[in-house]
Amino acid sequence: MSELYVESPLAHREVPQGLSIELREITDRGMIDVRGHATDKKFMAAAKKVLGLDLPKAPRTSVSWGDVKALWLSIDQWLILCSRAKALELTAALKAELGNIHSLVVDVSDMRAVLRLEGEGVREVLLKGSSLDLLDEDYAPGTVRRMRYAEIAALLHVVEETVFDVYVFRSYADYAWDFILATARAPAKVTLFGAQATPK
Amino acid sequence: MLVVHCPVCGAEGDETDFHGGGQAHVRRPATHDPANVSDEAQRDYLFIRHNPKGLHFERWRCDRGCGKWFHAARDTVTMEFKAFYGISELPPREVMEQATGEWATYFKDRLKAEAKS
Amino acid sequence: MKSRYSIFSLARNAMNYHKDWERAWRSPQPKAEYDAVIVGAGGHGLATAYYLAKNHKMTNIAILEKGWLGGGNTGRNTTIIRSNYLQDSSIAIYELARSLYEGLSQELNYNVMFSPRGVLMLCQTEHELRAFKRTAHANRLAGLDCRMVSPAEVKEIVPIINDDSNCRYPVLGAYYQPRGGTARHDAVAWGYARGADALGVDIIQNCEVTGITREGGKVVGLETSRGSIKTKKVGVVTAGNVSTLMQTAGVRMPIESLCLQALVSEPIKPVIDCVVMANTVHGYISQSDKGELVIGGGTDPYNNYSQRGSFPSLEHTVTALVETFPIISRLRMLRMWGGIVDMTGDRSPIISKTDVEGLYVNCGWGTGGFKAIPGSGYVFADTIAHDRPHAIAEPFGLNRFAEGRLIDESVAAAVAH
Amino acid sequence: MSNKPYRLAQGGSRIDRTKKLHFSFDGKQLNGFAGDTLASAVMANGTKLFGRSFKYHRPRGVVGLGSEEMNALVGVGDGSRHEPNLRATQVELFDGLQAVSQNRWPSLAFDVSSLNSSFSRFIPGGFYYKTYMWPQRFWKHVYEPIIRKAAGLGHAPEGRDPDSYENIHVHCDVLVVGGGVAGLAAAESAAATGARVVVADENPQFGGVADISAGTLDSMPQATWIAEKVAALAAAENVRLLPRATVVGHWHHNYLMLFERVADHDPALLREGAPRHRLWKVRAKQVILATGAIERPIAFANNDRPGIMLASAARAMVERYGVSPGVEGVVFTNNDDAYQTALVLKGAGIGVRVVDSRGRAEGALVEKARAAGIDVAVSSVVSAVEGNLGVTAVRVAAYRKGQGRVITERKISCDFIAMSGGFNPALHLWCHNGGKIKFDDGLQSFRPDRHQDAIIAVGAANGTFGLADIIAEASAAGETVGKRKTKSAKIKLPKAEEDLQKPLEALWFAPATGKYNEGNKHFIDFQNDVTVADLELAQREGYESVEHTKRYTTFGMATDQGKTSNLNGLGVLSEATGKSIPEIGVTTFRPPYTPFSFGSIAGVLTKNLFLPIRRTPIYQWHADRNATFEPVGQWRRAYTYTGPGEDKHASINREILAVRHKVGLLDASTLGKIEIKGPDAAEFLDRMYTNMFSTLKVGKCRYGLMMNELGFLTDDGVTVRLGEDHFLMHTTSGGADRIAAWLEEWLQTEWTHYKVFVTPVTEQWAQFAIAGPRARNVLAKLGADFDLSHDGFPHMSFKEGKLGGYPVRVYRISFSGEQSYEVATPSNMGRGLWNAILDAGKELGIEPYGTEALHVLRAEKGFIVIGDETDGTTTPIDVGLEGLVSKKKADFIGKRSLEQSYLKGPNRKQLVGLLTEEPTDVLPDGAYAVRAVKDKPPMEMIGQVTSSYHSPTLERSIAMALIQNGRARMGETLSFPIEGGKVIRAKIVDPVFYDKEGARQNV
Ligand SMILES: Cc1cc2nc3c(=O)[nH]c(=O)nc-3n(C[C@H](O)[C@H](O)[C@H](O)COP(=O)(O)OP(=O)(O)OC[C@H]3O[C@@H](n4cnc5c(N)ncnc54)[C@H](O)[C@@H]3O)c2cc1C
Ligand SMILES: NC(=O)c1ccc[n+]([C@@H]2O[C@H](COP(=O)([O-])OP(=O)(O)OC[C@H]3O[C@@H](n4cnc5c(N)ncnc54)[C@H](O)[C@@H]3O)[C@@H](O)[C@H]2O)c1
Ligand SMILES: Cc1cc2nc3c(=O)[nH]c(=O)nc-3n(C[C@H](O)[C@H](O)[C@H](O)COP(=O)(O)O)c2cc1C
Ligand SMILES: [Zn+2]
C-alpha cells in the first residue's frame, strides 16, 4: 500500500513577504475537543489521569504538562493540544478512561488551521480584526480567547508576549491568511501606545 | 455598539461577540402539557412579546466566548444593562423591583408561585 | 377650500415676497369629543384620516400626534416604493398603494415627487435568482409590470455597478419593477396633512395619547397629554410605539420595536438613476433629487426605542455597497439616523379590528411601510368606517397569528423593504 | 506683494517659505508654501472665489477656519483618485495637488446657473412642493430630470478606488477629543495617573485656536505652552496623540469612531503603500470632550459674498499663513473676541475698522483696538454688502435691538469682512448619544448639561472660555477620570493671563433697508442657500416645529450639517415666533461630526476579503478541473465539471448518467456534522426531529426532518447511531452552524436537565459520496478492512475502518437512489483519499459529479431539498412526508403548530410530480399553475413549480410542484402560463419518477 497523502489547510500558500510581522502555518498540531462538566469530580480525575494535568477551570486560561496543553473553551469544554501523532492515542485513552462518565471526546486535529503570528507589533496587527482589548495585561501569555476576527470566528492563544496562535476553521484558512496579509503590510504598521515622534 | 458581559464566563465584549435572543422568560407551553395547549396559548408563546419602553428582560448568548445562554436586564431607551444573570434564574431582586407594566406583573406572579412551592 | 398650489400662485406670491401664503394646516385645539380619533400622525395615520374624510365623509375627526406630524418613520425612511411582493395578499395592498402614488400629487395638490425611476433587486446568488424568478412568475400572473433583467442590462441601468463576474457576490441578474421608485417622504406626510386639514380634520400635534379608555368591551375615549377626549372609534397607527399604547386597552401585540438605520452621503452629481436593492448583502441605495446617496440596511438585533442604532449594522451595509458600487469608496457619509420600526412575527403588517369594540389598529409595517401609505390609509379608513375589514385588509387581521395563517414574505428571498 | 498680492511679507507660523509647492486650481498653475492649506494658498494668489452655492449658484469664498467650512468646497485629485466636496480649509497643500471648483458651468466666474439667483424670488424654500405637478407625467420626464441635473455638488470619482483603507480597534481609559488648550491639559493630568490616553484632533497640528488667541500661560504665548505639552505627551508611554483624526461619532457605551486621514496630505505615503484612511473603533472608559467652539456668522444682506469670513478665520489667515484676506477690511461683531482679529489685521498693516452691534463696547480688547487707532462704530450693523464676485463696499446702519429694518445707511468701501456673532460650543458628540444640553444666556448658545454615559466636556466645548478656567476645569477632569492606576498626579497648573472680555449681545439678524430686506439674501445656511426669509416663510405656512422648518427649507442639512447655521436659524425663528430659543428646541445632532469616507468603513473588507469563501479540502482540485462553483452559504461547491468540447448541459448529463450506469464521486464535505452524546441524547433527538430516533439501532442510519416552532421545515439529514448514547447528525450544508446553535439553545434554555453534549465536527471530515451500480466495486478495489457485502453492510447502516489505508467512517446512504456509500476521512487526508478513489475507480468509469447532477438525481427519485421544495412556509405534511411526523411522540419542536387551523386546513399546497405534455418542455423554476388560463392577468394561481429538470435518465423533463390539494388531483392536467404568452400543460403524477420501489439502492 502506498503512503497516505496528507495536506494541511494552508499547504498551498507561500512564505509571505513585506509584512511587519512573521506569519506561518503550524501544521503538526493534534487537537482534541473534550466536553465534560468541570464540576464533575470523576470526569476531572479521569481527564487528569490520561492527560497528566488538571483541566483549567478558570475562564480563558491554559495549562501545560509536558507536550500536552489544555485550553479552556467553556465551563464544560476544553481543547487539548499535542502532537498529531499523540492525538489519536490520547483520544482513545480518554474515551476509555472516561467510560460511562458523561463526556464527549472528539479528535478534531483536522478541523482547524493554526496561524502563527510573531513579532513586535503583533497585537496591533490583530487589533485590525479583533475588538478585544489585546493591550490589556489580561492578555498575558497562556491566555485563550474565542473571538470574532474579521468576518469569522477564531480562537486566540497568546503563546508568548509577541507570539500569537490564531485558530480558525479550516475552510476559512485562506480568508484568514489573506486578511492578515492585508493588515500586516509593513507600510500599514501602527503603533498604539509608547513614545512617538512629536507630531509637527 | 453595546458592551455585553457574560455572567457564565465573565467575558466582556462588543455586542457582535454575542447573540441577542429576544425576550426572556417566555414559557413554552408544550413542554409542560403538550396535550392541552390552546391556539391562543400557542400564539402568545410564538408571537406576543413584551415590548416595553424602558426596562426589558432578554436572552443573550456568549457567542464568541463560552457559548452559553444567559439573561440580561436592559433599558430599551438608554441601552443601559442593569443586570446579567443565569439562564435559569430570575433577575436580582432590586432589578425585578424596577420592572414596570407586564414585567412587573410577571415577576410578581413568579415570586408568588415560587413562595407557594 | 384652500387656495390651490400652482406655478401661478407661486408667481403671484413672489410679487409680495411670499408674505401671503396660507398655512398648510391649522393648529387647532382638541375638542372634547370626536366621531373618530386616529392616534399617530405618520403617513399611515394621516392617509387614514384623509380617506375617512374624503371617502367616508367622516369629518368630525382628529389625529393626535405626540410630536410633530411625519416625525416618525415616515420622516426618516429611504422611500423605496415597489409592489412586487410574492404573496397575493401583499401584492394586493402594495399595488393599490403604488397605483395611488401615481396620481397622488394631483389628488393632494401637493407635489410628493413620486418618481417611478425603477427598482432593481439584484440577484447575487443562484438561490436569490431562483426566488426572484418565482416572484416574477407570480407577479406577471397578478398583472404587475415587472421583469427579470440580465447582468448586461443591469450594467446598462446602473453603470457604476461592479460587474466583475468573479467578485464575491457577482450580479447574476436582477428583478426589475420599472414603475417602482421613490417619493419625497416628508411631502407625503405634509400633502396628506394639508389634504385632511382642508377636509376639516383636526391635526393636533404635541399631544401624546397616554391611554385608551374602555367601558366593558367598548372604547369610549382617550387620555392625552392635553386632556381626555371622548370618542367611540379609535384607530391606533403609532408604529414602533404601538405595544405600549395598545396595552392600555388590554390588547397585547405581536410586535417588537427595533431600530432600523439609514444614512446619506454628501450630495454629488447624479451617478445612479434608479433604486438598487442588494438583499443578499443587506444594502440598498438610491440617489435623491438633491444628489445625496440614500442608503439603508437591516435592523439592529435587539429592542430599542432610542432612535439611535448601533454601528455594526450600517458598517455591514456600507461595506457591501462599497463592494457592489466601488466608486462610492471615496465618497463620504454625511449623516446617519435611526427609526423605531414595529416588527411582527411574520414581518407582515397588521390592519385589523380588535376584540375591543371601536378599537382598530394599523401597524407592523416594520421596515417597509412607506410604500404602502396610500393603500393602507385607504383600506384602513374603510375598515374603520364600516366596522369590518376591507377585503384587502382582511388577510392582515390579528387573528392570523392564532390560526397560523402567516404572510411570510421574507422567506422566499429575505427581502425586507 | 507683486505677483502674490495677498501673501504678506512676514508672518505665517505654519508655512515654510523656503519650501515652495506647485499646485493647480481649475487648471491654473499656482504656487504655495509647505504648511499652506488649499484655502490659504489660493487666497495668497489673490483668488477669493472658490465655488458656487447649491441652489442659487451664488459665488462663494472661504468663510471658516477648518471643518466648519461650508462654502469653499472643492474636488481634489483626478480620475479614480478624485474626491469631491472637500473643504479647502482642511486640504493640506502638497506638491502637484490638483483642485477644481464645483457646481458651476462653464466656469467658476461665469456660471450659467447663477441665473437661478435672479429667479430666487420665485423659488423660495419648499417651492417645489407647490408646482411641477402638471401634467402628471411631466414630473418623471421633464421636471425631475432638470432638477436632477442640477443636483449635487462635486462629481464622483471614476472607476475603482486604487487606494487602501483599514480599521483598527483600540481600548483606552480616556479618549480626549480635541487637542486644544483644554484637551492637552486634560490629557496631561489623565496621563499622569498612568491611564491609557488617546488624544485625537482633526487638524494636522495640535493646539486648537491657542496660536491665534491672545492670552498667555506662565507668561508664554499659548502656542509655546502647547508645543511643550505636545512634546511631553508624545514621549509618554501611555499616550497616543492622533493628529488628522476626527472623532466622527459617539455611540452607546462609549463607543466612538475616529477617522484618521493617514496619507491624504502626502502622496509619497500612498505610494509607499500606506492606507489612505484608517478608521479607529475606540472603546473608552471615559471620554473627555474638548472640541472647542465654532464661531457664528451673522445674517446680513448678501452676507455670503466671497471675502466675508469668520473673524477667527481671517485672523488665522494672517497669523498662520501670512495671507491677508484683503486690503481694507471691516470687522463686524457683537462680542469682544473679534477685536483680536482687528488688532492682528492692524498689526499686519491691513486696513481695518470695527462695526459693533452692541450699545457699548468697552472691554480691554476694545480699548486696545481704540488705542491702536482702529475706528470702532458701536450700535451699528453691517446692513448690506455690495459687490458680486467679491466685496466692494458695505453699508453700515445704526442699530437698536429688535428693529425690523433700518432707515439710514452709510457706505464704506472695503474688500473683505470679518464677522463674529459669538461662539457655539461644539456639542455634536455630546449629543450623538442622548446628552442633554441647556441654553446659556451669557453665551447665547447651548452648552452641555447631563449625560448618561461616562463623558465630560471641558473648555470651550463646555462653554468655558476664560483661559484660567479652561485649564483648571480640564486638568481636574483629566485627573479624576483618568484614575485607573494608583499613581498620584499632581500637575502644576500654569498661570493664565488674558484680557477680560465683556459679554456679547445676541445678534441673529442685521436688518437692512427694504430693498435688501425683502430680497431673500440674508443667508443662514450658506451652502443650501437658506435665508432668513425662508425660515420665516416656513413658520407662516405652518411648518412650525423646528424639525418641519429644517426639512421644508433644508437648513442645517448641507455638508456642514449646520455647524455655523443651526443656532442662527434658531435665533431667527425665536424672533419670528416670540418663543425663546430653548422653547423652539434644537434639531437632532447625528453622526458623523464631519463627513468621512465609505472606504474607511469598509477598510480592507473589499474584493476577496469582503466576505469569506469557505473551501473544502478538495477545492483546489475542483478548480483545477474547471469546475463551475455554486455558492451554498459561504461554501463554494462544484456545480459541474465541464470538459473540453462540452457545455454545462452536456457535462451535467454526462455526470448523471455516470452515476446511473457506472459510478460517480461527489465532494460532500460541506454537509454539516454534529456529534451528540449523553444518556439523554436519544430522547433529545426525539424532541428535535419530527420522527423517532430513540428506536434507531446502533450502527444504523435514519433520515430525519426538523421543523421550527412554527411547524415549518428547516432542515433534514441522516443521523447515525454510533453508540447507545452517541449520535452523529448530518445537516444540510447551509444549516450546519444554525442547527448546532439550535440544539445548544434548546439544551441550555428549555431541556436543561438533559445530559447531552453537542460538538460540531463538520470540518474535521472530508466526505464523499461514491454512488452508482459499481460503487461497491470501487470500495473493494481500494481495499476495505470491513465487510462490504450487501448483507454485511446493508443500506442505511454504518462502518468505521480503513479504506485504501485511509481511516474512514462509511455510511451506506443514498441521495441518488443508487447503491451509494458516503465516505468520511479526516480533512487533511481528504485530498489523498479523493485521488485514491479516482484512481481505483478509473477502470470502472468513475466520474466526479457536481451539485447540479446531484439535484437532478434526487429529483428523479422525488427526494426533497430544503429550500427548493420548501420555502419556510412548508410543513412536512405539505411535502408528503407525513409518515415522518411521529404520532407517538407527545411533543417535539413544531408539533403543536401543526395543529393550528390554517396548517391543518383545506387547500394547502402539496408536493406532486409533474410531467409536461411535451416531454422536451422543461417547466421554468417557480412557474405558477393557474386555475384557468385567461387572455390577460390577473389569473388565479394554485401552486408553483419547486424543481424542474431535464432528466437524462428518463430522457424527458420532470418537475416537482406544490399545488393546492395536489395529492387529490393525481392525473389532472394543469396549465402554466409562462413568459411570452406560452402555456405549458403538465400532468400531476407521483413525485417519484424513477425506481419507485427503491430497488437500486438496495443491492
Ligand atoms: C431607516 C428606515 C428606512 C425605511 N425604508 C423604507 C423604504 O425604503 N420603503 C418603505 O416602504 N418603508 C421604509 N421604511 C418603513 C416606513 O418608514 C414605515 O413603515 C412607515 O413610515 C410607517 O408609517 P406609520 O405612519 O405607520 O408610522 P410613523 O411614521 O412612525 O408614525 C407613527 C406616529 O405615531 C406617533 N405616536 C406614537 N405614539 C403615540 C402616542 N402615544 N400618541 C400620539 N402619537 C403617537 C409617532 O410620533 C409618529 O409620528 C423605513 C423605515 C426606517 C426607519
Ligand atoms: N471668547 C473667548 O474667550 C474665546 C473664544 C474663542 C476661543 N477662545 C480660545 O479657545 C481656546 C479654547 O480651548 P479649547 O481647547 O476648548 O478649544 P480649541 O478650539 O482650541 O480646541 C478644540 C480642538 O478640537 C478639535 N475638534 C473639534 N471637534 C473634533 C472632533 N470631533 N474630532 C477631533 N477633533 C475635534 C478642533 O479642531 C480644535 O483643534 C482657548 O485657546 C481660548 O483662548 C476663547
Ligand atoms: C430620503 C432622505 C434624505 C435625506 N437627506 C438628507 C440630507 O441631504 N442632509 C441631511 O442633513 N439629512 C438628510 N436626511 C436625514 C434627516 O436630516 C434626518 O436625519 C432624518 O429625517 C431623521 O431625523 P432625525 O435625525 O432628526 O432623527 C435625509 C433623510 C431622508 C429620509
Ligand atoms: Zn461566556
Side-chain angles (χ1 to χ4, degrees), chain C residues 41-351:
Chain C
H44 290 262
L46 289 162
T48 304
Y50 173 79
Y51 292 115
L52 270 175
K54 179 160 187 254
N55 295 352
H56 307 284
K57 307 293 173 248
M58 289 180 68
T59 50
N60 179 31
I61 62 176
I63 313 180
L64 309 184
E65 166 56 51
K66 72 175 163 127
W68 40 287
L69 70 87
N73 294 336
T74 302
R76 54 189 67 244
N77 81 95
T78 49
T79 79
I80 300 175
I81 296 170
R82 62 181 186 92
S83 61
N84 49 359
Y85 284 72
L86 177 64
Q87 318 283 352
D88 298 349
S89 32
S90 311
I91 296 172
I93 184 128
Y94 289 109
E95 178 57 14
L96 170 64
R98 203 202 58 76
S99 58
L100 287 170
Y101 262 124
E102 295 259 7
L104 198 58
S105 296
Q106 289 70 28
E107 155 107 27
L108 296 175
N109 178 233
Y110 200 99
N111 192 352
V112 301
M113 301 181 201
F114 172 63
S115 172
R117 51 187 51 265
V119 175
L120 264 185
M121 300 202 274
L122 300 182
C123 305
Q124 292 176 289
T125 66
E126 296 289 344
H127 183 78
E128 202 172 14
L129 189 62
R130 277 176 59 109
F132 277 126
K133 281 185 179 162
R134 175 183 167 193
T135 307
H137 286 294
N139 288 172
R140 183 170 35 77
L141 293 172
L144 298 191
D145 169 19
C146 296
R147 61 191 160 92
M148 297 298 298
V149 294
S150 69
E153 271 178 280
V154 172
K155 182 78 184 166
E156 225 165 86
I157 301 172
V158 209
I160 63 168
I161 203 154
N162 183 355
D163 59 348
D164 176 359
S165 59
N166 289 319
C167 72
R168 182 62 184 81
Y169 281 112
V171 173
L172 307 174
Y175 188 39
Y176 186 43
Q177 182 165 31
R179 289 204 72 82
T182 59
R184 173 98 180 101
H185 54 290
D186 292 324
V188 172
W190 299 341
Y192 271 118
R194 180 165 168 271
D197 177 88
L199 294 169
V201 176
D202 281 358
I203 304 173
I204 301 159
Q205 303 183 68
N206 300 310
C207 177
E208 177 165 7
V209 176
T210 51
I212 300 167
T213 320
R214 35 189 285 194
E215 248 164 42
K218 288 187 193 161
V219 164
V220 292
L222 294 168
E223 289 306 317
T224 83
S225 58
R226 293 169 70 173
S228 339
I229 293 173
K230 277 202 230 159
T231 183
K232 293 203 174 67
K233 288 191 178 204
V234 171
V236 174
V237 202
T238 53
N241 288 291
V242 72
S243 301
T244 39
L245 185 56
M246 292 298 281
Q247 182 100 58
T248 65
V251 180
R252 300 176 65 209
M253 297 296 293
I255 294 276
E256 290 195 87
S257 296
L258 303 178
C259 184
L260 180 68
Q261 298 181 78
L263 64 100
V264 286
S265 74
E266 293 185 333
I268 43 156
K269 296 290 169 205
V271 290
I272 182 168
D273 199 44
C274 65
V275 179
V276 182
M277 306 177 66
N279 298 297
T280 291
V281 294
H282 301 294
Y284 48 99
I285 188 168
S286 64
Q287 187 168 13
S288 83
D289 286 349
K290 253 178 68 210
E292 72 273 14
L293 299 174
V294 181
I295 293 175
T299 51
D300 289 353
Y302 40 80
N303 294 31
N304 183 334
Y305 282 89
S306 76
Q307 285 194 346
R308 290 187 297 276
S310 197
F311 197 71
S313 67
L314 274 193
E315 191 177 355
H316 279 125
T317 294
V318 169
T319 303
L321 292 176
V322 167
E323 183 60 19
T324 315
F325 304 100
I327 67 153
I328 75 165
S329 167
R330 290 178 99 84
L331 302 180
R332 295 175 174 234
M333 185 200 293
L334 172 61
R335 185 175 173 100
M336 58 193 287
W337 65 92
I340 304 310
V341 294
D342 39 345
M343 305 296 281
T344 60
D346 63 357
R347 303 294 183 252
S348 281
I350 293 165
I351 312 173

Side-chain angles (χ1 to χ4, degrees), chain D residues 267-287:
Chain D
L269 285 174
L270 274 187
R271 278 194 299 274
E272 284 158 21
R276 188 165 89 96
H277 296 157
R278 180 180 289 125
L279 194 63
W280 297 65
K281 298 170 176 176
V282 183
R283 182 75 74 180
K285 292 208 176 66
Q286 176 69 48
V287 176

